[in-house]
Amino acid sequence: AAPARSEARPMEAAVPQLNALGLKIADRIRETGPLSVADFMAVCLGDPDLGYYMRRDPLGLSGDFVTAPEVSQMFGELVGLWLIEVWEAAGRPKPFALVELGPGRGTLMRDALRAARVRPEFLAAAKLHLVEISPVLRARQREQLASVGEVPTWHHRLATVPKMPVLVVANEFFDALPIRQFVRAGGEWRERVVGLDTAGRLAFGIGPGGLIEPDVPAVAAGAEEGAILEVSPASTAVMAEIAHRIRENGTAALVIDYGYARTALGDTLQSVRRHAYVDPLADPGEVDLTAHVNFEALARTARSEGAAVFGPMEQGPFLLSLGLVERAGRLGAGRDTALQNEIRAAVERLAGPDEMGTLFKVLAVTAPGLTPPPFGPRT
Ligand code: SAH
């Protein structure tokens, strides 16, 4: 049942099932009403004391999820070669800001910079800036990058990175940014909210009517009762900032994430713990919370800021065009069978259609006139 603001429980109601962050959220709901899904996500992931990213390294087999750079060094190496090619196509700007959004353990950047040793001028021109909210992951990044002799500068937001030509990389970053959800109810779009049910547990509900988002895509026109529409103002804001900088100061961005190429209806909010899907409301701050990335919306934002857009292209064809198989061959040459099998499995994992190859998409955003590999004519 949908909780209404009036259903807030008295403070003495026993709610033993809520964890520390759950109690904090419940108090906030009692004080100011249900949260939008976006506010709920933002608190769960970024609460300064209890947020998911604040207290742990969630990556890897012992964590909650595995990302492409953690699957194989080949991923970061190919991204590194992409960066060099784009930097050269842009006329070798010096200096330029090499920016990674949400660098996780710093593995992608470490592998990219190691691969970039083939072009010392690139490394000499690059000023490394990392945008990261997690103190735990910042520490991992510091260690990993020290191993390739780099000392980055950290930022909480892209806005504080100095204005200069920029190359931006974002792998599995946009999926962690909050989304708002709207539910089709009684012939209108109403915000989906997180409130409290009569037992004092967190529960999804339907908020006040009236569509706050003016921009309803065409696909949403014939929506049936109960349909869900997602928008991510946070993602739009970050992409607008990226594209604006590219337009003003030059060069490009590479966005890799899971999501859809065209706006579609549907609930993509998902929660993962130890590599399995769990209830997004069950254990706030203790589980990963993401949503699929709307690449059509990101592309539209980038174009509206005057940048050129390429893709989205599926990750499989992207990596194969950049030379994944050749790289795997060189990496495995003369090594034992076990390692060669491991490399083969990594290629399959990164590029295979049933694995990361089709769900994950790649979007390149560039200054007008610059065509990044491996894209053809501008879309
Ligand atoms: N890119 C890495 C990590 C992906 S996990 C990889 O591919 O392995 C998401 C990353 O984004 C983490 O580093 C997380 O701490 C960071 N992050 C999440 N929300 C953020 C925000 N709002 N601002 C900056 N970084 C954020």
Side-chain angles (χ1 to χ4, degrees):
R5 284 166 200 260
S6 57
E7 280 175 339
R9 299 283 291 171
M11 292 304 281
E12 59 273 19
V15 280
Q17 57 275 71
L18 289 179
N19 66 20
L21 187 56
L23 289 168
K24 196 167 169 179
I25 293 169
D27 279 349
R28 181 165 156 191
I29 293 170
R30 288 190 188 95
E31 280 162 24
T32 55
L35 272 58
S36 67
V37 170
D39 286 344
F40 177 73
M41 272 183 93
V43 172
C44 288
L45 297 177
D47 180 271
D49 304 316
L50 301 166
Y52 179 74
Y53 281 116
M54 293 304 134
R55 300 188 300 168
R56 63 169 66 66
D57 172 0
L59 290 146
L61 287 178
S62 58
D64 291 326
F65 56 92
V66 174
T67 57
E70 302 298 332
V71 168
S72 167
Q73 68 186 73
M74 296 184 288
F75 186 81
E77 290 168 351
L78 292 173
V79 169
L81 298 177
W82 185 92
L83 292 168
I84 289 176
E85 279 201 48
V86 172
W87 177 72
E88 300 207 315
R92 302 183 160 214
K94 181 180 182 347
F96 73 95
L98 178 55
V99 180
E100 185 170 1
L101 307 177
R105 289 177 168 174
T107 308
L108 186 161
M109 191 51 77
R110 180 201 64 192
D111 294 337
L113 292 173
R114 204 185 44 241
R117 284 181 183 161
V118 299
R119 202 64 89 255
E121 310 89 317
F122 172 90
L123 292 175
K127 302 282 167 232
L128 186 56
H129 293 275
L130 305 180
V131 178
E132 175 60 70
I133 53 168
S134 166
V136 180
L137 291 174
R138 282 186 179 197
R140 296 297 302 261
Q141 292 155 19
R142 185 191 311 275
E143 285 167 29
Q144 292 255 54
L145 290 161
S147 76
V148 288
E150 286 286 339
V151 183
T153 306
W154 279 274
H155 302 262
H156 288 277
R157 292 168 297 121
L158 178 59
T160 57
V161 173
K163 303 274 187 325
M164 60 171 91
V166 71
L167 277 172
V168 180
V169 182
N171 185 64
E172 289 210 44
F173 169 75
F174 280 95
D175 65 64
L177 298 186
I179 55 155
R180 292 174 69 182
Q181 291 187 324
F182 294 92
V183 190
R184 192 74 182 164
E188 57 175 353
W189 289 105
R190 293 170 60 180
E191 183 136 23
R192 195 174 187 219
V193 294
V194 176
L196 296 173
D197 67 13
T198 49
R201 286 175 305 235
L202 296 173
F204 285 111
I206 299 180
L211 178 55
I212 303 101
E213 282 302 314
D215 202 17
V216 178
V219 66
E224 291 176 3
E225 187 76 5
I228 288 184
L229 170 66
E230 297 180 342
V231 294
S232 180
S235 299
T236 303
V238 174
M239 181 47 90
E241 166 87 21
I242 292 172
H244 181 75
R245 280 170 180 256
I246 288 172
R247 170 81 209 172
E248 291 295 302
N249 304 110
T251 57
L254 187 66
V255 174
I256 308 174
D257 223 310
Y258 54 94
Y260 34 99
R262 295 267 165 263
T263 302
L265 295 174
D267 173 15
T268 76
L269 185 69
Q270 68 179 42
S271 195
V272 164
R273 176 179 225 169
R274 304 210 187 296
H275 312 276
Y277 292 109
V278 294
D279 175 357
L281 302 184
D283 211 355
E286 300 295 328
V287 296
D288 181 43
L289 207 51
T290 62
H292 285 213
V293 171
N294 183 340
F295 281 96
E296 183 180 346
L298 289 184
R300 193 185 327 117
T301 300
R303 280 196 193 95
S304 73
E305 291 292 329
V309 174
F310 300 85
M313 179 187 233
E314 289 171 353
Q315 175 170 301
F318 176 78
L319 293 176
L320 293 170
S321 308
L322 291 183
L324 177 64
V325 170
E326 295 77 1
R327 179 77 201 115
R330 277 199 302 281
L331 203 58
R335 311 297 292 271
D336 61 43
T337 317
L339 188 80
Q340 288 178 346
N341 287 340
E342 210 176 284
I343 294 168
R344 206 168 296 127
V347 169
E348 187 56 30
R349 181 89 190 270
L350 293 174
D354 299 328
E355 309 223 22
M356 301 175 94
T358 48
L359 176 59
F360 280 73
K361 315 268 188 308
V362 181
L363 188 79
V365 176
T366 70
L370 201 164
T371 302
F375 292 94
R378 249 170 72 183
T379 55

